[in-house]
Amino acid sequence: MSVWNPLRLLDLAAMDLLRDEALAISTLECLPTDLFPPLFILAFYGRHSEALKAMVQAWPFVRLPLGGLMQMPHRGTLQAVLDGIDVLVAQQDRPRRCKLQVLDLRNTGQYFWRMWSGSSSHVHSSSMMAPVAEDSSRTKQPLALLEVYVELRLKESNLDEFLIDLIRWVEQRKGSIHLCCKKLKIITMSMENIKEVLSRVQLDCIQEVQVNSTWHLSTLAMFAPLLGQMSNVQRLLLSHVYLSAFEEQEQQHIVQFTSQFLRLHHLRDLYMESPSFLEGCLDQMLSCLKTPLDNLSITNCLLTESDFTHLSQCPNISQLKALDLSGVTLTNFSPELLQVLLEKVAATLQKLDLDLCGIMDSQLEAILPALSHCSQLRTFSLCGNLLSMAIMEKLLQHTSGLLSLSQELYPAPRESYSPQGDFHPERLVQLKAELLKILRDLERPRTIWISSSPCPHCGENTFYHPEPVVYSYNTAA
């Protein structure tokens, strides 16, 4: 979507000024601040390289959010911006009105351009000229003349050509320019190339790391020292880290990874998808956490009862807002462990996912008192567990007092299936009518969603589109 609205007087003035590029450049020193962004937009899309180069040297804002204009980047215009920065950092004394500290090449800043192009109102120009909040990373590094913000998406087959050139450009200007990556996403890339790219990045700028690649534990161990240098990481997502069948030095690799959490003093969100190496070792990771977590997701893996005991006792999960244990089989665990865990997080928990956990009636009944104390709970999902109508009724009764609970996803009751595990939609229709009567008796407007998934006994985990059961005060008796 274009950042332009129908032409305003500022746009018309900018267009008229750019008809004579030399004149436009000569007026930058006295050009009204409000005219800079629309003039820059026109120069960027019109590929006025010399005007862009000059405007960078006189940019009257702390941040230049260039990434918001780069939906279809042109190499020449981007190079013009970099050339302008080269001139700027080479000068002993900056031009009087230039406040530029950050060149932001991330896909952000659209609000800035919309506001200055007339799409947003009620925002004063002074709000866009406030100093950039100082990152903790800046206190540890010599202050660069300029920082370049990027998002790194590492994929072997198509590492962005401009990004490669940018990394080389920054490398040649060490001391003057720092390359800061706030978000790192690794898809598929050899560890050798990952290390090569990250050696050119200020690692303690990184705040979010996503690894969406299938790694062996030994690969994760090689990545671990790099992770430890990302001391300002707040969000870590790891997907599919497997143990090799005969992986040597397994315990050493686990320690190499988990020990890095001792250096992550700002970690708030931890997501681990299919971390097979954690079985029997969860305590090693939990004991290294330095700060309370807001969100914890450990899914689709095996955990031991000892792992679950350590989880329920970990002091740094007591303030959780979201907990996802989907795909972690809890069938053979003592239900008291989950009860203790819920009691620990009852004051803060807002989202709870227990899909496909093998939870049976007796286990769910054991945790209902603790669940009823989760006063902040907004979302609760139990899909893919084999539960009877009787326990579903108790569940609805115990959660009726949770006034913040607005999204409830439950499995089709066990009575929807034949003894052979075949799903019968006509039975579910009858059971939904019974569920509606239960909701009506509880006298609280409420919508629950029933997922008619294949029987968990069959080993399938495909959820069909959930169907709502709605009770409101207008529902017919």
Side-chain angles (χ1 to χ4, degrees), residues 191-205:
M191 187 54 59
E192 180 181 356
N193 288 343
I194 290 173
K195 290 180 177 180
E196 176 67 20
V197 173
L198 294 185
S199 68
R200 292 168 166 78
V201 176
Q202 192 173 322
L203 294 181
D204 60 359
C205 275

Side-chain angles (χ1 to χ4, degrees), residues 88-133:
L88 190 62
V89 298
Q91 295 174 343
Q92 190 169 3
D93 297 314
R94 280 197 173 197
R96 178 184 57 83
R97 73 179 307 179
C98 181
K99 295 183 173 66
L100 183 60
Q101 294 179 24
V102 175
L103 173 64
D104 196 339
L105 298 176
R106 300 171 296 174
N107 187 25
T108 60
Q110 289 84 353
Y111 177 77
F112 174 92
W113 300 113
R114 281 198 303 269
M115 190 273 289
W116 285 107
S117 62
S119 300
S120 300
S121 57
H122 310 298
V123 180
H124 297 97
S125 61
S126 60
S127 67
M128 301 307 300
M129 291 187 285
V132 175

Side-chain angles (χ1 to χ4, degrees), residues 36-207:
F36 259 81
L39 183 64
F40 191 93
I41 291 173
L42 289 170
F44 187 84
Y45 288 127
R47 301 180 183 179
H48 296 279
S49 297
E50 292 302 316
L52 286 173
K53 181 177 176 180
M55 290 187 72
V56 167
Q57 299 169 57
W59 191 248
F61 307 102
V62 170
R63 187 181 302 261
L64 174 54
L66 191 63
L69 301 178
M70 288 172 52
Q71 294 175 354
M72 296 184 65
H74 179 261
R75 199 177 191 85
T77 52
L78 295 174
Q79 189 58 52
V81 172
L82 298 184
D83 289 345
I85 291 175
D86 272 337
V87 174
L88 190 62
V89 298
Q91 295 174 343
Q92 190 169 3
D93 297 314
R94 280 197 173 197
R96 178 184 57 83
R97 73 179 307 179
C98 181
K99 295 183 173 66
L100 183 60
Q101 294 179 24
V102 175
L103 173 64
D104 196 339
L105 298 176
R106 300 171 296 174
N107 187 25
T108 60
Q110 289 84 353
Y111 177 77
F112 174 92
W113 300 113
R114 281 198 303 269
M115 190 273 289
W116 285 107
S117 62
S119 300
S120 300
S121 57
H122 310 298
V123 180
H124 297 97
S125 61
S126 60
S127 67
M128 301 307 300
M129 291 187 285
V132 175
E134 186 175 45
D135 292 334
S136 60
S137 59
R138 292 186 186 182
T139 64
K140 301 175 185 178
Q141 300 279 350
L143 187 62
L145 294 177
L146 189 128
E147 292 188 327
V148 180
Y149 286 176
V150 295
E151 288 184 356
L152 284 179
R153 187 175 184 270
L154 304 186
K155 189 174 181 180
E156 201 83 65
S157 58
N158 62 345
L159 187 59
D160 187 85
E161 188 176 343
F162 173 72
L163 181 58
I164 295 173
D165 291 343
L166 178 69
I167 290 173
R168 290 172 181 159
W169 179 79
V170 172
E171 182 75 10
Q172 294 167 2
R173 292 154 181 81
K174 274 187 175 180
S176 298
I177 296 174
H178 283 160
L179 185 62
C180 297
C181 167
K182 297 294 184 182
K183 183 176 180 180
L184 169 65
K185 187 172 184 178
I186 301 173
I187 310 292
T188 51
M189 179 173 278
S190 69
M191 187 54 59
E192 180 181 356
N193 288 343
I194 290 173
K195 290 180 177 180
E196 176 67 20
V197 173
L198 294 185
S199 68
R200 292 168 166 78
V201 176
Q202 192 173 322
L203 294 181
D204 60 359
C205 275
I206 297 176
Q207 297 178 356

Side-chain angles (χ1 to χ4, degrees), residues 260-319:
Q260 302 306 318
F261 284 87
L262 293 169
R263 306 176 67 182
L264 306 183
H265 292 269
H266 302 279
L267 185 66
R268 307 297 299 184
D269 306 323
L270 178 58
Y271 302 86
M272 306 189 76
E273 163 73 17
S274 302
S276 64
F277 69 95
L278 276 185
E279 183 181 3
C281 302
L282 184 59
D283 63 311
Q284 294 185 38
M285 183 181 74
L286 296 175
S287 64
C288 292
L289 292 175
K290 299 299 291 182
T291 55
L293 295 178
D294 288 336
N295 298 285
L296 176 64
S297 174
I298 302 175
T299 59
N300 299 313
C301 67
L302 294 175
L303 295 179
T304 65
E305 188 157 332
S306 174
D307 289 328
F308 217 80
T309 299
H310 287 293
L311 178 61
S312 63
Q313 295 174 348
C314 177
N316 282 321
I317 59 98
S318 60
Q319 299 177 30

Side-chain angles (χ1 to χ4, degrees), residues 296-362:
L296 176 64
S297 174
I298 302 175
T299 59
N300 299 313
C301 67
L302 294 175
L303 295 179
T304 65
E305 188 157 332
S306 174
D307 289 328
F308 217 80
T309 299
H310 287 293
L311 178 61
S312 63
Q313 295 174 348
C314 177
N316 282 321
I317 59 98
S318 60
Q319 299 177 30
L320 282 182
K321 295 179 181 178
L323 175 64
D324 187 355
L325 296 173
S326 300
V328 177
T329 303
L330 306 178
T331 308
N332 299 320
F333 292 174
S334 168
E336 284 75 20
L337 290 175
L338 186 54
Q339 178 184 350
V340 170
L341 178 58
L342 290 180
E343 289 172 348
K344 196 179 191 73
V345 300
T348 57
L349 193 66
Q350 299 176 10
K351 183 177 180 181
L352 177 62
D353 287 316
L354 296 174
D355 296 340
L356 294 165
C357 287
I359 294 175
M360 310 293 282
D361 284 11
S362 59

